[in-house]
Amino acid sequence: MPITMTVRGFPIPGDATCIVCQRIHPVWPSEELIPRLHDLDEDPHAWGMVLRILAAAGDGATDCNRPLAWSAVEHYRRMSAHLSDLQRRKHWERRRDGKSPLLMHEVMIYHFHSLTLLWAHVVAEVRGVGYETVLDNWVIDSAKQLILGVQEEAINITASTLALCGAVASPDGRSADAGLLNTQARGAGIDLEEISAFIPGTVYDAEVELLMAAASFSIYAGALVSQLD
């Protein structure tokens, strides 16, 4: 019988048992710091994958993260491996234009960026520091020095994407607009297919690298926000 993980009383789709190590990683950084599920409800399964990657990192089981990311991209690979580049682009254009739903790994990018931007905003408010300072210096610059096992191109592109999202959502460099944060993060998810062309390897390899980079920045922001307690 699958064991269900819950956050604030909302069940997370899927089995809470890790597909890699068969353990149950506790929710991290804490239920209080994670937005309610109905606030990020584009794809509950993608949201569940995001929470499982965060939970594994918080539990010190970082080796579980890449296989979890691969499992999301593998679903896309099975769907699209028979398509030509032109066909795959046409499918992406439909998702970009809102005619088809985003895929799981695209929604995961959206959620990871949303969490990173949101947690940077929380840290800025509590510490009384400018939002731009927290996002650019405390999260992006610091995390870039610590991320291991992810291609440098993916780290740099993700860092640039986050910095741009933050700049648009915080024109004054001090506060951040929640609606703009959400819009910018979703745009990053939509752009994943195009951005992957700048990462070495197949499109699937590249998207795993970008997922891992996005997750790494969220994990670092989660660690910062957890220290506010």
Side-chain angles (χ1 to χ4, degrees):
M1 178 71 69
I3 299 173
T4 302
M5 181 190 296
T6 61
V7 173
R8 296 186 179 186
F10 290 88
I12 301 171
D15 194 337
T17 304
C18 180
I19 64 172
V20 182
C21 68
Q22 308 306 310
R23 292 166 52 198
I24 296 177
H25 304 297
V27 174
W28 184 87
S30 72
E31 292 194 32
E32 294 73 23
L33 294 172
I34 295 173
R36 293 185 181 278
L37 294 188
H38 63 257
D39 293 335
L40 291 171
D41 60 359
E42 178 131 5
D43 182 337
H45 291 279
W47 184 220
M49 288 294 291
V50 165
L51 293 181
R52 285 175 174 78
I53 288 175
L54 291 174
D59 201 25
T62 52
D63 289 345
C64 297
N65 286 346
R66 183 173 288 273
L68 286 168
W70 254 117
S71 69
V73 177
E74 173 63 16
H75 176 68
Y76 174 48
R77 190 195 67 77
R78 290 197 305 268
M79 289 173 47
S80 63
H82 65 287
L83 300 178
S84 67
D85 290 345
L86 179 59
Q87 289 173 318
R88 194 171 63 240
R89 181 168 182 85
K90 286 183 176 179
H91 286 200
W92 171 76
E93 288 173 348
R94 287 187 58 83
R95 298 195 301 276
R96 180 198 63 191
D97 297 339
K99 296 177 181 177
S100 296
L102 296 183
L103 302 176
M104 178 186 289
H105 61 297
E106 293 169 334
V107 180
M108 287 173 66
I109 288 284
Y110 160 42
H111 290 337
F112 277 130
H113 285 355
S114 292
L115 288 170
T116 301
L117 297 166
L118 172 67
W119 284 336
H121 179 56
V122 172
V123 172
E125 283 198 329
V126 173
R127 297 296 190 198
V129 179
Y131 176 74
E132 191 175 73
T133 298
V134 173
L135 180 63
D136 292 350
N137 300 338
W138 296 14
V139 176
I140 295 175
D141 288 347
S142 297
K144 282 175 69 175
Q145 310 305 315
L146 299 173
I147 296 174
L148 301 174
V150 180
Q151 286 188 23
E152 185 177 359
E153 293 90 343
I155 293 171
N156 290 335
I157 288 174
T158 302
S160 297
T161 299
L162 283 169
L164 178 60
C165 288
V168 172
S170 178
D172 64 1
R174 295 202 57 79
S175 59
D177 181 278
L180 284 174
L181 288 182
N182 188 62
T183 299
Q184 291 300 305
R186 191 176 190 281
I190 293 172
D191 290 342
L192 181 63
E193 186 89 1
E194 287 204 318
I195 293 172
S196 65
F198 298 97
I199 310 297
T202 68
V203 63
Y204 313 111
D205 294 332
E207 289 179 343
V208 170
E209 292 298 317
L210 289 164
L211 265 179
M212 289 297 296
S216 297
F217 283 110
S218 285
I219 290 164
Y220 197 86
L224 286 177
V225 81
S226 67
Q227 294 170 8
L228 299 175
D229 296 340

